[in-house]
C-alpha cells in the first residue's frame, strides 16, 4: 500500500478494496475484498530473522527492541501513514505466523499448479 496510498487519498486512484483481512486504518472507508469474496486475504509483511543457532538471549533482546520500536507512538504513526499495521510478536508467535503463511501460500501454489521455472 505505501506506493499507492497517496494516490488513493488524493483521489487520483479509485481504491476498490484492500486485500487485508481487516479494513486499513489508513483508508477506513475502503472495504476489504473479503466483503465480496468471503475468506479472501492477501497481505505483505516484513519481519526480522536470525540464524537458527543464535543464542536465546540475543533473540529475546532483538525481539524486545524491535517490539519497542513497533509500539513507539512516533514509529506507529509513521507506519500508519504508509498504510502499515505493526504486528509485535514473541519469537514463538512469529515462528507460528511464518508457518501459517507458508502453509497458506503452498496451498495456493498447489491449487494454481504453479511450477518453478
Amino acid at each position: 500500500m505505501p506506493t499507492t496510498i497517496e494516490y488513493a487519498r488524493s483521489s487520483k486512484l479509485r481504491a476498490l478494496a484492500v486485500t487485508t483481512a481487516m479494513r486499513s486504518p489508513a483508508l477506513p472507508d475502503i472495504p476489504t475484498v473479503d466483503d465480496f469474496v468471503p475468506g479472501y486475504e492477501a497481505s505483505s509483511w516484513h519481519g526480522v530473522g536470525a540464524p537458527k543457532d543464535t543464542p536465546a538471549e540475543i533473540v529475546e533482546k532483538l525481539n524486545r527492541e524491535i517490539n519497542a520500536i513497533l509500539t513507539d507512538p512516533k514509529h506507529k504513526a509513521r507506519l500508519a501513514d504508509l498504510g502499515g499495521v505493526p504486528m509485535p510478536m514473541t519469537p514463538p508467535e512469529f515462528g507460528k505466523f511464518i508457518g501459517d503463511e507458508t502453509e497458506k501460500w503452498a496451498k495456493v501454489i498447489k491449487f494454481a499448479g504453479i511450477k518453478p521455472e
Side-chain angles (χ1 to χ4, degrees):
M1 191 179 326
T3 58
T4 58
I5 195 165
E6 287 308 316
Y7 293 105
R9 285 179 176 156
S10 67
S11 297
K12 291 180 181 176
L13 172 81
R14 181 175 172 220
L16 301 176
V18 295
T19 61
T20 51
M22 296 170 43
R23 287 184 184 224
S24 169
L27 298 170
D29 295 333
I30 307 301
T32 66
V33 173
D34 179 69
D35 291 342
F36 310 102
V37 182
Y40 185 93
E41 189 272 334
S43 58
S44 62
W45 53 270
H46 302 276
V48 177
K52 180 180 179 182
D53 296 325
T54 302
E57 61 272 7
I58 292 175
V59 171
E60 290 299 326
K61 180 175 178 147
L62 284 169
N63 183 252
R64 222 177 12 260
E65 297 297 327
I66 291 166
N67 283 342
I69 291 168
L70 293 176
T71 57
D72 175 75
K74 179 179 167 185
H75 289 93
K76 269 179 88 168
R78 179 65 180 135
L79 281 171
D81 190 46
L82 295 170
V85 178
M87 296 171 32
M89 296 181 200
T90 65
E93 289 169 339
F94 187 51
K96 182 179 180 330
F97 176 78
I98 290 172
D100 292 347
E101 285 287 288
T102 301
E103 183 179 331
K104 174 178 76 175
W105 291 109
K107 288 177 184 176
V108 170
I109 290 166
K110 185 176 180 180
F111 178 80
I114 298 170
K115 303 286 183 210
E117 294 182 8

